[in-house]
Amino acid sequence: MKFIAFLLAALVAGPAAAADADLQRQCGECHAFEKPADATLDRLWTRKGPDLWYAGAKFNRAWLVKWLQKPTAIRAGGVMWFKHAKPGEPRDTIDPAGIAPHPSVDAAAADKLADALMTLTGGGIVDAAAFKPEGANLSMGKLAFGKLRGCTACHQEKPGTGGVSAPELYDAGERLQPGYVLAYTKNPQAFDPHIWMPRLELTDVDLQRITAYVASLKAGE
Ligand code: HEC
Ligand code: HEC
């Protein structure tokens, strides 16, 4: 009965609402599609997957469609890397056995789910116009990312090199919108008040360079 009521509601509301319902049903166990009213440390600690309430301001749609059909690991250490660190070894020796592969869907479903995800804009959390590509210096950005600002302690700019406690960024140019890269780098706690990425006091010039560099990274380069 419940299911029929649900189907009817989806039909009446049209295809967009049907896609949202799919998202909630297949994916809602592990992902938040609405900004958590109560973003506690405990919630961050126990969540099964990364938040997607700002997915539309974060991802490139083409990447989503591809990845949902053939997911690859983004966080080498899982959502909470220390839960997969081998006992007795340094924290970032990861045992991948405990990290389940991501569920995959077919092309038609990926297309619909990507549409639904792209509507989740996070209430304006990302200012897409804040990144100004003209003139940002890529090699200065690379230097800032690696040596000067220590981003590689947690992130990988090349597969297999760098930290495992945060998402890889070596395909960030394909995966992420530059405005999101800038917004996250500027203030990670705006996305989750308890996230362990430090908020650095970066100048706008630094932010622009780092964003330009991260947004230039493509898999296989
Ligand atoms: C059993 C839990 C689980 C289910 C069910 C699940 N996911 Fe995920 N999802 C994860 C985990 C864990 C990650 C992080 C993977 C990584 O970083 O390597 C993830 C990552 C993602 C990402 C990338 C997010 C990011 O910030 O990097 C997207 C997009 C995504 N999932 C969409 C979906 C969709 C759409 C569905 C439903 C078809 C779904 N997921 C079902 C656990 C789940
Ligand atoms: C102490 C570890 C740490 C350091 C150092 C760090 N980050 Fe992060 N970063 C994180 C964590 C943790 C996340 C979010 C984790 C998640 O979504 O699962 C994150 C997320 C990001 C994201 C969003 C990626 C995505 O897929 O959603 C970007 C962009 C980013 N960091 C850039 C940087 C830059 C640039 C620097 C250097 C100025 C940096 N980070 C330094 C831990 C770190």
Side-chain angles (χ1 to χ4, degrees), residues 44 47 49-51 54 58-59 74-75 78-81 144-145 149-155 165-169 172 175-176 180-182 184-185 188 195-198 200 202 207 210-211 214:
L44 180 69
R47 68 178 183 174
D51 291 350
Y54 46 84
K58 166 170 178 171
F59 295 109
I74 299 165
R75 295 162 186 75
V79 212
M80 293 300 262
W81 89 100
F145 189 88
R149 304 293 175 202
C151 315
T152 44
C154 302
H155 294 283
S165 63
E168 54 80 2
L169 292 174
R175 189 160 57 88
L176 304 173
Y180 168 79
V181 173
L182 190 145
Y184 206 102
T185 304
I195 202 70
W196 56 91
M197 172 163 156
L200 300 174
L202 298 169
L207 268 174
I210 291 175
T211 301
V214 171

Side-chain angles (χ1 to χ4, degrees), residues 23 26-27 29-31 48-52 58-59 63-64 67-68 72-75 79 102-103 105 113 117 175:
L23 203 57
Q26 298 176 43
C27 327
E29 179 202 341
C30 302
H31 294 290
K48 292 188 188 157
D51 291 350
L52 294 174
K58 166 170 178 171
F59 295 109
W63 177 87
L64 276 177
W67 187 84
L68 288 171
T72 48
I74 299 165
R75 295 162 186 75
V79 212
H102 197 271
V105 299
L113 290 166
L117 286 169
R175 189 160 57 88

